Amino acid sequence: SSGINAEYGGIIEKIHPRKAMGYGKVYNKNFALFSPLDSRVPRMLIPLNEFPKGFAERPQDFADNLMIGLVKRWELNGKFAMGSLLKSIGGDRDDLVVAATEGILTENDLDDSPFPDDIDAEIPDFEITPEDVAKRQEFDFRKKCVFTIDPATARDLDDACSVEEVGDGLYEIGVHIADVSHFVYPGTSVDDIARERTTSVYLVQRVIPMLPRKLCENLCSLNPGVDRFSFSVIWKMKKDGTVLSTKFGKSLINSCCKLHYEHAQDMIDEPDREFEEGYLPRIYNGYTDKDLSKKVNILHNIAQILRKKRKESGAISIQQCKIKFSLNKDDGMPSGLGSYKSKESNKLIEEFMLKANVSVAEKLVKHYPDNAIIRRHVGPKENVLKDTKKVLERMGIEVDTTSSKMMQEALNKLQHAPNQPTPVGLVVASLLAKCMSLATYHSSGEFDSPVDYFHYGLSMELYTHFTSPIRRYPDLIAHRQLQAILEGEKTGPMDFDEVSELAELSSQKKYASKLASDKSGELFLWLFLREQVAMHEPASVIEIGSESIDVLVLRYGVQVRIWRDYIGEKVEFQVKEKQWAHITWPAEDGKPKCSKRYELLDNIVVIMKAGKQLFKINGSLPRPDSVNDLNVPTIEGFASEDV
């Protein structure tokens, strides 16, 4: 006996919402069988009388109708769970995106309901009073060269930077964050809704904001050429990144320019370039493109040093491809695919945001050791890491996983150049990423020792979120706590239990929003492929099973499974010890019979097609003797002769 008495088992807390979208069909005279699209959720029997009128008599009319089911209970030996129908959400061709998106949000318990009509009335109007100026006099940056660097599509600008030479090789560097707390007060409807949502949700075709648009796109957004309230972290810093002093304060800024990452990158690539008129966005307050270029390059040089120091201390950066979509302006459907590329200008901003978050975390925990809001990241999941090491060993790859620093060194060896992984590097990064735990929010008092605050991925002893209060509620809490410290409050605006409860909810919602964002990407990839005859993409073999081959599509970081049924006439698999698959294709179209053996890490071409079921991507393999006739995109390090 295991010594465990099942009678004493019980559910302490239900974290998974137990909701899933899928399709129903008549099972018997009393029940319909609901089949979730998510294979992790069990099929369930749902009473027929919960389905739309006419479902039992004409089930074929509802064959393409997406629905959302709720798992109510699942008996230990039951073939199906028992469930309830939450809603029917449609899914005809015209409203498929709307229906599927509603399903994604409902599955993850994410609220996209409109803000109440009267909510704007409780938001204060924008006004800078003489009292505001007096309180923020030390941090009045309105006449200084402050600027934002964001994606071209950004509308909620919550961070800006500044840098001034102050003599003796020293710089005053400022990170200025939108002062959301100036407009959003505890106990108001706006705050209550933001607290329940805890985060903005980023889908392919839309953003579900945490705050009303009046705040996130107007009053709080650090738009150029207008005065704005901000909360600043100011360092006196040497050019090697050594911090001599740090100060915090509520501030006023007037951003002189809304630079895009591409503009800042041009300045980094060509520091002396004279930009043609109209190329850059409008520059305000009497500054010029030369002023901006000089400051961008000062920040870039220091950011490189800061990043190097972080990496040397053990920070790990797992480079993975992430898919992005071009959308048709008329119908919003995907018209093209690409992948996000992080450049030096992205890393410049990232580095100073990290620095600000660390500085604020240190201040919060020093003054409020029991109830400061912090962000923690534990090490990799040991059981998953152990299995991954075995997979890598089968591939002939040795990765030292004893520390984040050793893992990063292994990944660095699998690059053409910095931040340019080889195909093998992309595979290893994809596998290691699955071993990583998710970072979570906490109240500092939850742990007995400061050692437990450690952020594994960043290799930082202490970390919080401060720099994005427009889209993350924990950042707003950090702002309120920091302001309380500056005003001399001994205990802070929230006690231990309040911070812990909020931290747990924020962690859950952050994870749910990530799942929804990823699922939205899967939806739009499926929609794009549905309109294509087929896509031929470079890929690497990452697993060979008894009935299938799994590949990583290198350009987009997408994993695709190729089932036995989608390849040649004769297929042999060996899955023990050295994995391989031997596939034979028949003679056809004047081409003779041919065969090929596939092993782990082989570079191949995969044919991607949309499956009949929503979200499902089918993979298949082209004949080896036809690969050179295909239009396959080039990937550095991918040799077509390997196919």
Side-chain angles (χ1 to χ4, degrees):
S1 170
S2 65
I4 298 174
N5 188 333
E7 290 181 355
Y8 294 114
I11 296 173
I12 297 173
E13 185 179 5
K14 294 175 180 176
I15 300 287
H16 192 286
R18 300 171 294 130
K19 301 169 186 173
M21 65 177 141
Y23 299 97
K25 63 179 181 181
V26 175
Y27 184 69
N28 58 30
K29 65 180 183 179
N30 296 316
F31 290 95
L33 180 63
F34 182 83
S35 299
L37 294 175
D38 186 342
S39 60
R40 296 169 300 177
V41 180
R43 290 186 293 171
M44 57 189 101
L45 293 176
I46 296 175
L48 269 177
N49 60 13
E50 296 185 16
F51 282 78
K53 187 177 180 181
F55 177 83
E57 296 77 24
R58 304 184 313 280
Q60 68 279 2
D61 293 352
F62 297 85
D64 297 324
N65 204 76
L66 272 174
M67 302 175 186
I68 299 176
L70 170 70
V71 178
K72 298 187 80 171
R73 68 179 189 278
W74 193 6
E75 303 296 341
L76 195 60
N77 298 315
K79 184 177 180 182
F80 305 119
M82 300 304 294
S84 180
L85 190 71
L86 292 182
K87 57 176 133 176
S88 174
I89 53 177
D92 293 337
R93 187 181 184 88
D94 291 340
D95 67 353
L96 183 56
V97 172
V98 174
T101 299
E102 183 180 350
I104 290 169
L105 296 172
T106 304
E107 278 185 335
N108 291 288
D109 258 359
L110 294 169
D111 179 14
D112 73 330
S113 57
F115 289 95
D117 293 337
D118 59 352
I119 202 162
D120 283 357
E122 74 169 38
I123 297 171
D125 292 328
F126 188 91
E127 180 187 11
I128 298 177
T129 66
E131 184 183 5
D132 292 324
V133 174
K135 284 183 176 179
R136 299 173 187 243
Q137 191 169 4
E138 184 187 353
F139 293 88
D140 191 341
F141 285 81
R142 286 178 292 176
K143 289 186 168 61
K144 295 193 176 182
C145 186
V146 178
F147 52 91
T148 60
I149 305 176
D150 285 283
T153 55
R155 292 188 291 183
D156 51 348
L157 312 181
D158 50 18
D159 59 83
C161 292
S162 64
V163 57
E164 301 283 340
E165 296 181 62
V166 292
D168 298 325
L170 299 178
Y171 297 95
E172 181 184 84
I173 294 176
V175 164
H176 313 278
I177 306 302
D179 187 5
V180 174
S181 63
H182 181 81
F183 298 96
V184 180
Y185 310 132
T188 60
S189 298
V190 177
D191 188 65
D192 290 344
I193 293 171
R195 186 176 179 140
E196 288 173 10
R197 294 188 176 193
T198 80
T199 182
S200 294
V201 181
Y202 291 83
L203 306 176
V204 171
Q205 82 282 23
R206 60 187 273 233
V207 177
I208 301 164
M210 182 183 80
L211 296 170
R213 296 197 183 279
K214 180 179 177 180
L215 286 171
C216 62
E217 294 179 12
N218 185 10
L219 300 183
C220 294
S221 184
L222 305 181
N223 298 331
V226 291
D227 289 353
R228 284 291 179 260
F229 292 99
S230 50
F231 209 154
S232 300
V233 183
I234 310 295
W235 303 281
K236 187 174 283 187
M237 194 181 290
K238 292 181 179 180
K239 63 182 179 182
D240 67 356
T242 302
V243 174
L244 300 182
S245 66
T246 306
K247 58 183 180 179
F248 309 89
K250 292 281 186 109
S251 52
L252 295 168
I253 69 167
N254 188 308
S255 171
C256 69
C257 193
K258 177 190 174 184
L259 290 174
H260 303 160
Y261 283 121
E262 292 78 9
H263 301 137
Q265 189 61 45
D266 288 340
M267 292 173 176
I268 292 168
D269 293 339
E270 302 176 81
D272 299 322
R273 175 175 169 180
E274 293 188 9
F275 291 93
E276 55 273 23
E277 189 174 345
Y279 178 77
L280 294 176
R282 181 178 172 183
I283 302 173
Y284 296 84
N285 306 334
Y287 291 103
T288 67
D289 58 344
K290 282 188 167 49
D291 295 324
L292 284 171
S293 187
K294 180 180 179 181
K295 291 178 184 298
V296 165
N297 277 282
I298 291 171
L299 292 173
H300 167 61
N301 292 334
I302 296 175
Q304 285 185 303
I305 295 167
L306 293 175
R307 186 160 64 252
K308 184 170 182 284
K309 288 179 179 179
R310 277 199 310 111
K311 293 293 176 66
E312 287 171 351
S313 75
I316 184 168
S317 176
I318 298 180
Q319 297 284 327
Q320 293 191 91
C321 294
K322 186 180 178 186
I323 195 167
K324 68 175 181 179
F325 299 87
S326 301
L327 302 182
N328 188 299
K329 291 181 180 179
D330 296 326
D331 61 9
M333 299 300 280
S335 56
L337 298 182
S339 57
Y340 287 98
K341 291 185 171 53
S342 181
K343 297 186 176 182
E344 292 302 311
S345 54
N346 300 75
K347 293 180 174 62
L348 180 165
I349 293 300
E350 177 188 8
E351 215 54 54
F352 285 104
M353 296 307 114
L354 291 174
K355 191 78 175 171
N357 287 334
V358 170
S359 295
V360 171
E362 291 170 350
K363 186 79 170 177
L364 297 186
V365 171
K366 179 181 177 181
H367 288 267
Y368 298 146
D370 294 331
N371 56 326
I373 184 83
I374 62 169
R375 188 149 173 86
R376 177 181 184 241
H377 185 215
V378 298
K381 295 170 277 193
E382 288 299 328
N383 57 333
V384 182
L385 187 62
K386 187 177 179 181
D387 292 342
T388 299
K389 278 199 74 172
K390 291 178 181 177
V391 172
L392 291 171
E393 285 167 3
R394 286 202 300 268
M395 295 177 174
I397 298 171
E398 286 281 338
V399 176
D400 186 339
T401 59
T402 54
S403 70
S404 56
K405 185 173 183 178
M406 298 310 293
M407 273 196 272
Q408 185 63 61
E409 287 182 4
L411 289 169
N412 291 345
K413 292 174 184 175
L414 300 171
Q415 298 184 130
H416 306 293
N419 304 313
Q420 294 181 28
T422 62
V424 172
L426 288 169
V427 170
V428 174
S430 175
L431 293 173
L432 288 179
K434 292 180 178 178
C435 304
M436 295 299 162
S437 305
L438 293 170
T440 47
Y441 296 105
H442 296 271
S443 175
S444 52
E446 293 176 29
F447 306 103
D448 296 329
S449 168
V451 172
D452 295 321
Y453 300 158
F454 191 71
H455 195 294
Y456 178 89
L458 297 174
S459 192
M460 290 176 174
E461 294 179 3
L462 205 50
Y463 193 66
T464 194
H465 273 163
F466 171 81
T467 53
S468 295
I470 289 176
R471 60 184 177 88
R472 292 188 306 228
Y473 195 79
D475 301 54
L476 180 53
I477 297 307
H479 279 230
R480 290 172 179 165
Q481 290 187 330
L482 182 57
Q483 181 60 16
I485 291 168
L486 297 179
E487 291 176 354
E489 292 186 21
K490 300 299 183 187
T491 58
M494 298 172 70
D495 63 24
F496 169 80
D497 289 336
E498 286 180 292
V499 176
S500 291
E501 183 181 337
L502 175 78
E504 185 175 359
L505 177 64
S506 297
S507 297
Q508 291 171 14
K509 291 293 186 181
K510 180 96 172 158
Y511 178 53
S513 69
K514 181 187 183 305
L515 292 179
S517 182
D518 291 347
K519 201 69 177 177
S520 178
E522 291 177 32
L523 169 65
F524 275 77
L525 177 59
W526 182 85
L527 291 168
F528 180 78
L529 290 173
R530 186 182 64 170
E531 303 303 317
Q532 314 298 312
V533 175
M535 271 179 65
H536 303 90
E537 284 291 329
S540 285
V541 177
I542 59 173
E543 185 68 32
I544 296 174
S546 57
E547 295 289 328
S548 61
I549 299 173
D550 289 349
V551 303
L552 178 70
V553 180
L554 297 174
R555 281 206 302 171
Y556 306 124
V558 176
Q559 287 192 27
V560 174
R561 176 160 289 177
I562 304 167
W563 290 100
R564 175 193 289 266
D565 296 346
Y566 290 94
I567 36 189
E569 65 172 3
K570 184 179 179 185
V571 184
E572 297 176 71
F573 290 103
Q574 175 174 297
V575 295
K576 294 179 181 178
E577 299 171 7
K578 189 174 177 65
Q579 295 180 349
W580 54 260
H582 192 272
I583 302 168
T584 303
W585 284 264
E588 62 182 14
D589 298 331
K591 292 182 178 179
K593 183 176 182 178
C594 65
S595 63
K596 182 170 175 59
R597 177 178 164 126
Y598 295 87
E599 297 183 1
L600 295 176
L601 289 184
D602 275 359
N603 287 342
I604 70 168
V605 172
V606 63
I607 303 172
M608 297 168 64
K609 294 182 180 179
K612 290 183 179 180
Q613 181 176 294
L614 192 64
F615 301 109
K616 186 173 176 58
I617 307 298
N618 292 329
S620 61
L621 292 171
R623 294 172 58 96
D625 53 9
S626 67
V627 167
N628 292 332
D629 300 330
L630 303 175
N631 181 24
V632 181
T634 57
I635 296 276
E636 189 171 359
F638 178 91
S640 58
E641 61 266 22
D642 290 345
V643 178

